[in-house]
Amino acid sequence: MNELEQELFEKRLISIAGGLEYPRTPDIAGSVTARLRPVTRPRFPSKALASSMTVILVLCSSLMLIPPARAAIIEFIQIGIVRIFPPDLEPTPGLTPTPTPMSGAQMPITATAAPQASDLIPVLGQIAGETTLLNAQDRVNYSILLPTYPSDLGDPDYVFVQNAEGDMTILVWLDPQDPDEVRMSLHFIPEGSWAIDKMKPQIVEETTVNGQRAVWTVGPYPLRFYTGELEFTRLIEGHVLIWAEGEITYRIETDLSLEEAIKVAESLEPVP
Amino acid sequence: MDEPTFIRHAVDGDTAAWEALMRAHQEAVFRLAYLIVGDPDDAEDVAQETFLRAWKHLRGFDATRLLRPWLLSIASNLSSNRRRSAGRYFAALTRAFRDEPAPATVEDKSSEKSQADELWKAVQKLNMQDQQIVYLRYFLNLPIAEAAQVLQVAEGTIKSRLSRALEKLREIINHDFPLLQEGYKA
C-alpha cells in the first residue's frame, strides 16, 4: 500500500467507524463512586459452615459422576426455573457419604468447576454487575418489584444485574442497625435462565405466595463475580423463599420467619 | 478547575473530584472496553474495574500527564485479559448460538451502521495488538501521540504498527468483506 492508498484507506476507516452504534454508556462514575464509599463487611456464614458446604458440594459433584446416583436423583419440586430436591430423596444407599442435612445435589450446569472454600466467602464489592435501581430497570425486560413490607425497608443498598441466559436482578438490603449484616436479598430470575438452584435444601416446607406454590429452603446460589467466575455463595445466614409468578422466579433470602418472609413476598410492588 | 487540579484533589481522597474525572472519561473507557470484549455488560464491568484500579494507584500517577491515555491503557489490558478468560469464552460461545444474526438485507448492507458493524467484524480478525491500535486510532480517533501513550510505545512504533495493521486489515477486507472495499483504492 503506497502513502496515498494508506491515506485514503485511513479516511475510509474513520468514516465507517464513525457509524458504529455503541450501547449507551452506563453510569459508571456513579457505580464506582458508590463502591468507593466505606463498605463494612456483611455478615456471612461461618468459616466452619463454609468449609462443610464445600466438602458437601465437592462430594456431591463427585457423586453425580456415578450413573446410579445420578439416576436416583430424578424427582424434584419445580418452582419456576428453580429445582428443589426434597429431603427424603436420598442418593443410592451405599454411595451416600456421612449423612448431612444438605446432602445430595445436582451437578451444576455452569462453566466452572466445583467451588473451593474461598468461593463461599463472598464480598458484596466483588459481585459483578453492580448498578443502580433505575439502570437495572432500564436494562431488564420485566418489572423490578420492591417490598413494601417491612415499611422501614426502603430502597435496596445494592443492586446487581447479572446475565445468566437472561438478566437476573439481585437486590440487597443491609441492616441499618448493623451495616455489617445483610438484612435481606431478593433475586428476580427470568424464564430460560440456567440459574437453577443446585442444592438440596436443609429444610423444605411447601407454602404459597399470592396463591402460588412456594418453597421455604436454605442453600447457596451461583453468582457471577468480577473474576468472571460463577461462585456458590449465600448473602445471609437465613432461609430462602422461592416462588414463581408469570415468567419470573423470585428468591428471597432472609433471616425472618416463614410467615414474615411471605408477608414480604406478598408486598412486592413495582418501583414507583 | 483543570484536570491536574482534579487529580490532586482525588489523590487527597476527594471522591467527588474523582467522580468528575470519571464522568469526563467514562464514555471513552466504556467504548474501548466494548470494542474489545464485545459485550456491554462485560464492558461495564471492565470500565468500573478500570476506574477502581486507577483510583487505587492514583497516588503514583504523574498529575502533569493526561489522564485519558492512562485510563485507556488500564482498560485495554483489562479488556484483553477478560477476553482471554474462560468465562468470557463461555459467554461468547453461548451468545454465538443465541444471537446468530440474521443475514443482512440489501437495504441493511447499504446503511452506515451495517458497514460499521462489518468493519468491526473485520478488525476482530486481527490479532489483539493490531485490534487495539486500530480501535484507538480509527474508532476512538485518538491522535498518534495519545495512542502511543496508551500502548506505552514510541510514536514511531505506533506508526509502523499501524501501517502493518492496515495492510492486514485491507487483506481481510479484500478477502472477506467486499462491501467495505469501495472508496479507498487510489
Side-chain angles (χ1 to χ4, degrees):
Chain A
M1 199 159 30
N2 62 37
E3 218 167 279
L4 178 59
E5 281 180 328
Q6 178 165 330
E7 195 180 325
L8 285 171
F9 188 44
E10 287 186 296
K11 282 182 180 171
R12 176 90 171 129
L13 289 182
I14 290 170
S15 167
I16 295 174
L20 188 68
E21 288 184 5
Y22 295 90
R24 187 174 53 84
T25 302
D27 182 18
I28 294 158
S31 301
V32 172
T33 303
R35 290 175 64 183
L36 291 176
R37 285 182 314 206
V39 177
T40 46
R41 190 180 173 83
R43 185 184 64 180
F44 297 116
S46 68
K47 285 192 174 180
L49 177 59
S51 299
S52 62
M53 284 161 63
T54 301
V55 169
I56 292 162
L57 275 171
V58 171
L59 220 47
C60 292
S61 296
S62 305
L63 190 64
M64 288 307 298
L65 296 175
I66 303 167
R70 193 165 55 233
I73 304 174
I74 53 173
E75 293 181 31
F76 49 81
I77 300 169
Q78 182 89 28
I79 301 291
I81 64 149
V82 178
R83 292 175 185 174
I84 305 294
F85 293 85
D88 56 346
L89 251 180
E90 294 296 334
T92 306
L95 294 174
T96 311
T98 306
T100 68
M102 297 175 70
S103 63
Q106 188 185 29
M107 185 66 174
I109 311 169
T110 67
T112 55
Q116 304 299 308
S118 60
D119 297 340
L120 297 169
I121 305 170
V123 176
L124 286 175
Q126 293 177 357
I127 298 174
E130 187 180 352
T131 184
T132 64
L133 197 56
L134 285 177
N135 285 344
Q137 187 59 87
D138 279 348
R139 190 188 303 181
V140 302
N141 59 3
Y142 51 84
S143 291
I144 295 177
L145 310 177
L146 290 180
T148 55
Y149 178 88
S151 57
D152 65 338
L153 193 61
D155 287 349
D157 297 292
Y158 286 87
V159 179
F160 305 92
V161 175
Q162 300 198 333
N163 187 282
E165 293 299 304
D167 285 323
M168 175 171 70
T169 303
I170 306 151
L171 311 180
V172 177
W173 287 264
L174 302 179
D175 186 341
Q177 306 303 320
D178 184 356
D180 284 351
E181 295 186 9
V182 173
R183 182 180 185 184
M184 185 166 75
S185 78
L186 171 59
H187 285 56
F188 299 74
I189 312 165
E191 193 173 65
S193 171
W194 46 253
I196 294 171
D197 243 3
K198 310 299 188 305
M199 292 299 297
K200 180 176 172 181
Q202 186 176 19
I203 299 168
V204 173
E205 181 174 340
E206 287 201 50
T207 182
T208 59
V209 170
N210 292 327
Q212 302 289 322
R213 190 183 188 190
V215 288
W216 182 233
T217 178
V218 293
Y221 200 74
L223 292 178
R224 189 176 292 281
F225 277 46
Y226 273 106
T227 58
E229 297 301 319
L230 296 170
E231 299 183 5
F232 284 83
T233 190
R234 296 166 64 187
L235 296 172
I236 189 169
E237 280 187 275
H239 294 90
V240 182
L241 181 64
I242 301 165
W243 77 103
E245 288 184 41
E247 295 183 345
I248 302 299
T249 300
Y250 300 86
R251 179 183 184 276
I252 285 182
E253 201 172 356
T254 175
D255 58 3
L256 294 171
S257 67
L258 172 58
E259 291 70 27
E260 289 291 291
I262 291 173
K263 281 187 187 175
V264 174
E266 294 187 337
S267 77
L268 294 184
E269 298 282 352
V271 177
Chain B
M1 278 199 293
D2 55 6
E3 185 170 282
T5 309
F6 273 108
I7 292 172
R8 278 193 288 275
H9 281 277
V11 168
D12 290 338
D14 183 348
T15 52
W18 184 237
E19 184 173 0
L21 290 166
M22 288 191 287
R23 292 205 181 282
H25 298 299
Q26 65 181 11
E27 183 173 278
V29 168
F30 173 75
R31 288 187 171 188
L32 178 61
Y34 175 68
L35 287 166
I36 295 174
V37 300
D39 177 82
D41 292 338
D42 282 351
E44 183 177 356
D45 288 349
V46 166
Q48 285 194 23
E49 187 62 25
T50 297
F51 286 113
L52 287 169
R53 287 203 185 186
W55 167 261
K56 191 177 171 185
H57 298 288
L58 199 56
R59 198 164 289 280
F61 178 72
D62 177 1
T64 62
R65 293 172 52 207
L66 288 174
L67 186 61
R68 187 169 75 167
W70 185 50
L71 293 172
L72 292 177
S73 179
I74 298 171
S76 178
N77 290 332
L78 288 174
S79 303
S80 302
N81 290 342
R82 174 163 292 223
R83 191 163 145 157
R84 279 194 291 267
S85 74
R88 166 77 198 141
Y89 179 63
F90 175 78
L93 277 180
T94 53
R95 258 197 309 278
F97 282 106
R98 194 182 57 215
D99 296 331
E100 188 66 34
T105 64
V106 174
E107 290 76 18
D108 288 339
K109 283 186 176 178
S110 66
S111 73
E112 281 184 10
K113 180 185 177 306
S114 183
Q115 280 204 325
D117 288 343
E118 288 284 290
L119 176 60
W120 189 16
K121 284 180 196 166
V123 175
Q124 286 166 359
K125 289 180 176 283
L126 296 169
N127 66 37
M128 182 49 66
Q129 191 181 62
D130 289 341
Q131 283 186 46
Q132 286 173 333
I133 202 165
V134 169
Y135 291 144
L136 292 170
R137 187 76 183 94
Y138 305 117
F139 284 72
L140 300 184
N141 293 318
L142 261 61
I144 293 276
E146 192 173 346
Q149 288 179 52
V150 174
L151 299 177
Q152 297 168 6
V153 294
E155 288 185 31
T157 308
I158 283 287
K159 286 176 184 170
S160 56
R161 280 191 192 172
L162 261 179
S163 184
R164 285 197 297 272
L166 289 176
E167 285 286 2
K168 291 180 205 165
L169 184 57
R170 196 167 81 152
E171 280 176 25
I172 291 167
I173 287 173
N174 286 342
H175 192 261
D176 297 327
F177 298 87
L179 179 72
L180 298 173
Q181 286 175 23
E182 297 168 12
Y184 66 80
K185 290 180 177 170

